[in-house]
Amino acid sequence: MTSLLIGPDLRARCAWVGDDPEYRRYHDEEWGTALHGDRALFEKMALEGFQAGLSWITILRKRPRFREVFAGFEPEAVAAFDESDVERLMGDAGIIRNRAKIEATIGNARLVRAMAEGELDALMWSFAPPATGARPSSFAEVPAVTPESTALSKELRRRGFRFVGPTTMYALMQSAGMVDDHIAGCWRA
């Protein structure tokens, strides 16, 4: 598989974008852009957890509904969800109806709520590796797991967070701009 793809606008992009306009928008506007804030990172953590075992485009297409039913991913609001909310969410075909992931999102919100404001942001970003300026030249150079994502996963798990494995945390690090995995030659690189 080629690592770069020329889009309809004649820009070279990371080839995982394919020809899907929503993926192209996500790549161009969000993926790899520094993301800060407890609410934003909680949302990213939750959605990456829901993505486990699925394609990201599935989550991306369902993201508006996820935001609607999970109260905009405001940790305080989600932390107040109870068993009736779990049942409501289990019945909503607009999201991924996985009880363990729904319950983990609610439990993770409670953990975020118990943290000081800004603590989740500071914690997650403390595991970002130093920027090297070097970008991968091909997909083969992009890891699925790194020592930093493993350490972040371990710390989050120690604190009680769920669905935060090393691969999931590396995907979060990529999408939240903690690492820059845009392929060399990508217009975003």
Side-chain angles (χ1 to χ4, degrees), residues 109-187:
R110 291 173 181 154
L111 294 169
V112 173
R113 183 189 61 188
M115 298 170 90
E117 186 175 334
E119 187 177 349
L120 180 66
D121 183 296
L123 171 67
M124 288 188 157
W125 277 90
S126 74
F127 289 91
T132 65
R135 294 191 172 90
S137 61
S138 70
F139 284 135
E141 292 181 16
V142 178
V145 175
T146 63
E148 293 87 359
S149 73
T150 300
L152 173 57
S153 171
K154 185 176 181 179
E155 177 57 22
L156 289 170
R157 287 178 178 177
R158 185 189 71 74
R159 292 172 179 238
F161 287 88
R162 293 180 288 159
F163 283 92
V164 292
T167 302
T168 300
M169 288 303 92
Y170 192 69
L172 181 148
M173 293 173 98
Q174 290 174 304
S175 64
M178 295 175 192
V179 296
D180 184 357
D181 279 344
H182 284 284
I183 303 297
C186 171
W187 80 270

Side-chain angles (χ1 to χ4, degrees), residues 1-6 12-33 44 48 55-58 60-61 136 138-140 142-143 171 174-176 179-184 186-188:
M1 176 183 207
T2 181
S3 295
L4 290 174
L5 181 70
I6 305 299
R13 287 180 178 80
C14 301
W16 58 261
V17 171
D19 62 0
D20 187 285
E22 181 61 16
Y23 246 177
R24 188 168 41 250
R25 187 210 57 74
Y26 176 71
H27 170 273
D28 291 358
E29 298 174 14
E30 293 183 56
W31 193 76
T33 300
K44 187 69 73 175
E48 292 290 354
S55 69
W56 181 246
I57 194 67
T58 299
L60 201 55
R61 288 184 178 136
S138 70
F139 284 135
V142 178
Q174 290 174 304
S175 64
V179 296
D180 184 357
D181 279 344
H182 284 284
I183 303 297
C186 171
W187 80 270
R188 286 285 317 271

Side-chain angles (χ1 to χ4, degrees), residues 58-135:
T58 299
I59 302 303
L60 201 55
R61 288 184 178 136
K62 291 179 179 279
R63 184 168 62 173
R65 184 64 181 158
F66 269 109
R67 286 175 170 166
E68 187 178 335
V69 301
F70 277 100
F73 288 101
E74 288 294 340
E76 188 77 24
V78 178
F81 284 12
D82 60 19
E83 186 56 36
S84 68
D85 292 297
V86 173
E87 293 308 317
R88 170 182 58 85
L89 294 166
M90 285 297 295
D92 194 319
I95 65 167
I96 306 304
R97 295 177 290 180
N98 178 301
R99 183 175 298 276
K101 292 177 180 183
I102 290 168
E103 290 174 346
T105 300
I106 296 166
N108 290 349
R110 291 173 181 154
L111 294 169
V112 173
R113 183 189 61 188
M115 298 170 90
E117 186 175 334
E119 187 177 349
L120 180 66
D121 183 296
L123 171 67
M124 288 188 157
W125 277 90
S126 74
F127 289 91
T132 65
R135 294 191 172 90

